[in-house]
Amino acid sequence: MANVNKAFSNAETAAFCNQIAVILQSGISATEGITIMLEDTDNDEERVVLRKILDGLHESGSLTKALRETGMFPEYMINMIEIGEETGRLDDVAASLAAHYEREDELNKSIRNTITYPLIMAGMMVVVIIVLLVKVMPVFNQVFIQLGSEMTGFSRGLMNIGEAIRNYSIALIVILVMIILCALLAVKTPGGRNTARNLCYKFKGTRQLFENTAACRFAGAMALTLSSGLHPERSMELVEALNDDSHFRQKLETCKSIIADGTDMAQAFRDSGIFTGVYSRMASVGQKTGSMDKTMNKIADLYQEEIDNRMNNILAVLEPTLVIALSVIVGIILLSVMFPLMGIMSNL
C-alpha cells in the first residue's frame, strides 16, 4: 500500500478493494477480514492503515466510516462502499470497484507513457544540440583560426548561439526550472490540469483523446453504479461528481436536462454527445434488454482499447519523427562547418 501520508493510488485502491471482495465473497465479515489482513501484512505502513480501519470498524461497525476516517481512500469509492452496505451487496460492489480502479490505473499509465517518452526524446535532442553548440562548435572555430580563416554565415550564427548559451547558462537554467515547475503545476493541481486540458481541446487529435478518456471513465463508473442496484438518475449524480473534465461535465448537464424532459437514457446519451456512433447504439440495445450495466462495462472496455490504440499510433509516429528531426538538426550543424572546412582544406 501507499505511504500513510498520502492517499492511495488507483492501483493500491484496486488491490485493497479486490482483497475486501475476496474476503466478503468467502463469507468472512469485514472486521474479521481486516484482522486477517493485518495479521498477514509485513509492511509497517500498511499495518498502520489497516489498524486505523480495524479501530474504526470496532467503534462504528461501519466499513464506510472506518475508511473515511483514514483519509486514504477516494470519496467515490467510499460512497460506493456505503451504497454496498445499504443494499447488502458490498462484496459485489467491492469487486466492481476493484475492476473500476484497475481500469483507471491502466488509463493513467497509457496517458503517462504517451507523454513521458516524447518528453525524454525531446530532452535528449536538446542536450545533444546544446553540447554541439557549446562544446563542439568552439573546437571547429579553433581549427578555422589555425587555418587562417574564420566561421562565417550560418555556422558563425550557430557559434554565437553557443556562446550566448554558455554566457547566460544560469538564466537559462532558471527559465528551465520555471518551465518544469509550470509543467508540474499543470499535472498536480486541478486548475493546472483544467488549463492544460482546455489547451489540448483546441487541437483535434488531443481533443478526441480527451473526449474518449472522459467517456471511458463515465462508462466504467456507470457500469459500477448500475450494477450496484442504483437508479440511473442517482448513478448520473455520482458519476458527475467523479468527472473533473469541464467539457464533459457540460455534456453531463445537457444529458440530465434531456432525461428530466422525459427522454430515455440511451437517447439522452446520444443527443448530448456523451456517446456517438456504435457506442450510442450499444447503449440503446443495453437499455432495451435490461443489461445497461454490462453494456456500459463493455463500452468502457472498447473505449480503453481505442485509447490504447490511439496512443500507440501517436508513439509510432512520434518516435521516428523525433529521431529524424534530431538527425537532421545534428547534420545541419555539422555540415555548416564541414563544407567550409573542406573548401579551405582543398585550397591549401
Side-chain angles (χ1 to χ4, degrees), residues 113-114 117-118 308-324:
N113 291 339
T114 303
Y117 181 78
D308 289 341
N309 290 336
R310 184 178 292 273
M311 290 183 173
N312 289 334
N313 291 337
I314 291 174
L315 284 177
V317 173
L318 277 177
E319 182 176 358
T321 300
L322 291 172
V323 171
I324 292 171

Side-chain angles (χ1 to χ4, degrees), residues 132-176:
L132 284 174
L133 295 178
V134 175
K135 297 295 184 181
V136 178
M137 293 299 287
V139 174
F140 278 109
N141 188 48
Q142 290 298 319
V143 174
F144 273 90
I145 293 173
Q146 291 174 3
L147 294 174
S149 182
E150 63 179 12
M151 288 184 175
T152 59
F154 183 66
S155 59
R156 184 63 192 178
L158 292 175
M159 179 71 183
N160 292 336
I161 292 174
E163 291 179 355
I165 293 174
R166 186 167 54 251
N167 293 335
Y168 299 101
S169 57
I170 296 178
L172 292 174
I173 291 174
V174 171
I175 293 174
L176 179 61

Side-chain angles (χ1 to χ4, degrees), residues 192-335:
R193 287 195 296 268
N194 193 50
T195 300
R197 187 185 296 113
N198 290 336
L199 179 62
C200 291
Y201 262 94
K202 296 182 183 295
F203 305 97
K204 182 178 180 181
T206 51
R207 180 174 65 249
Q208 186 64 49
L209 184 61
F210 273 94
E211 288 177 347
N212 286 356
T213 301
C216 177
R217 285 177 168 149
F218 170 79
M222 285 295 292
L224 173 57
T225 54
L226 291 172
S227 65
S228 301
L230 292 182
H231 193 271
E233 283 73 14
R234 175 58 177 156
S235 296
M236 289 284 291
E237 291 176 5
L238 287 172
V239 172
E240 183 180 12
L242 181 67
N243 202 303
D244 63 350
D245 188 326
S246 58
H247 297 271
F248 196 78
R249 287 175 72 92
Q250 292 176 3
K251 293 182 180 181
L252 290 177
E253 289 294 335
T254 302
C255 181
K256 288 169 62 178
S257 299
I258 294 173
I259 292 175
D261 292 336
T263 306
D264 65 76
M265 179 173 285
Q267 182 67 37
F269 289 159
R270 181 166 55 251
D271 293 345
S272 61
I274 290 177
F275 296 140
T276 58
V278 65
Y279 299 116
S280 64
R281 289 194 290 273
M282 288 176 64
S284 179
V285 172
Q287 185 173 38
K288 292 177 181 177
T289 57
S291 58
M292 183 65 91
D293 55 338
K294 295 180 181 178
T295 302
M296 285 292 169
N297 197 52
K298 181 63 177 178
I299 289 174
D301 290 339
L302 290 175
Y303 266 120
Q304 178 69 63
E305 183 177 347
E306 183 177 340
I307 291 167
D308 289 341
N309 290 336
R310 184 178 292 273
M311 290 183 173
N312 289 334
N313 291 337
I314 291 174
L315 284 177
V317 173
L318 277 177
E319 182 176 358
T321 300
L322 291 172
V323 171
I324 292 171
L326 177 60
S327 302
V328 169
I329 293 172
V330 172
I332 290 174
I333 293 174
L334 294 178
L335 291 176

